[in-house]
């Protein structure tokens, strides 16, 4: 079994732990998008979206690809796409428990 440093795992999961970052990931899950396309789709502001993109990119969750004057953002690889799908599948089973959890910190 692959051993991952606990602090690294926590940093990675923190990269997924913000509403805007989840919205961005859902937005680019099926296809690459520019910042402008992401801003338009999730109804955010460019500065805020850019900061969250930097966090996601810094955590290795997404990648950026330069094409002309535009940068297209997409998920790092199929494993990231699979992870998002797996999270959705798990949530289908525990959604009510999570919604009722009074121990949520944040």
């Amino acid at each position: 079994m692959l051993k991952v440093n606990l602090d690294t795992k926590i940093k990675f999961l923190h990269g997924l732990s913000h509403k805007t970052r989840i919205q961005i990931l859902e937005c680019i899950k099926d296809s690459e998008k520019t910042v402008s396309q992401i801003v338009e789709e999730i109804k955010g502001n460019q500065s805020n979206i850019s900061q969250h993109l930097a966090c996601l990119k810094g955590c290795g969750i997404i990648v950026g690809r330069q094409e002309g004057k535009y940068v297209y953002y997409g998920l790092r690889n199929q494993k990231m796409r699979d992870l998002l799908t797996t999270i959705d599948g798990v949530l289908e089973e525990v959604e009510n428990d999570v919604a009722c959890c009074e121990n949520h910190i944040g």
Side-chain angles (χ1 to χ4, degrees), residues 53-87:
L53 285 167
C55 174
L56 291 166
K57 192 172 178 189
C59 286
I61 296 169
I62 66 170
V63 292
R65 177 181 61 80
Q66 185 84 37
E67 187 174 302
K69 65 179 184 172
Y70 297 104
V71 176
Y72 288 84
Y73 292 95
L75 296 179
R76 178 180 198 86
N77 54 30
Q78 184 61 43
K79 285 183 180 181
M80 287 306 309
R81 197 168 286 103
D82 294 344
L83 176 61
L84 294 174
T85 301
T86 298
I87 290 170

Side-chain angles (χ1 to χ4, degrees), residues 21 25 27 40 60 85 101:
R21 291 193 288 271
L25 294 173
C27 178
E40 184 177 321
T85 301
C101 180

Side-chain angles (χ1 to χ4, degrees), residues 29-100:
K29 185 162 64 170
D30 295 322
S31 64
E32 296 176 318
K33 303 240 170 72
T34 65
V35 174
S36 298
Q37 291 171 317
I38 295 167
V39 167
E40 184 177 321
E41 192 167 319
I42 69 173
K43 311 273 190 266
N45 74 55
Q46 186 160 345
S47 174
N48 186 274
I49 300 296
S50 292
Q51 289 176 356
H52 287 292
L53 285 167
C55 174
L56 291 166
K57 192 172 178 189
C59 286
I61 296 169
I62 66 170
V63 292
R65 177 181 61 80
Q66 185 84 37
E67 187 174 302
K69 65 179 184 172
Y70 297 104
V71 176
Y72 288 84
Y73 292 95
L75 296 179
R76 178 180 198 86
N77 54 30
Q78 184 61 43
K79 285 183 180 181
M80 287 306 309
R81 197 168 286 103
D82 294 344
L83 176 61
L84 294 174
T85 301
T86 298
I87 290 170
D88 288 345
V90 169
L91 281 174
E92 285 179 11
E93 295 179 23
V94 299
E95 184 174 10
N96 290 332
D97 296 325
V98 172
C100 295

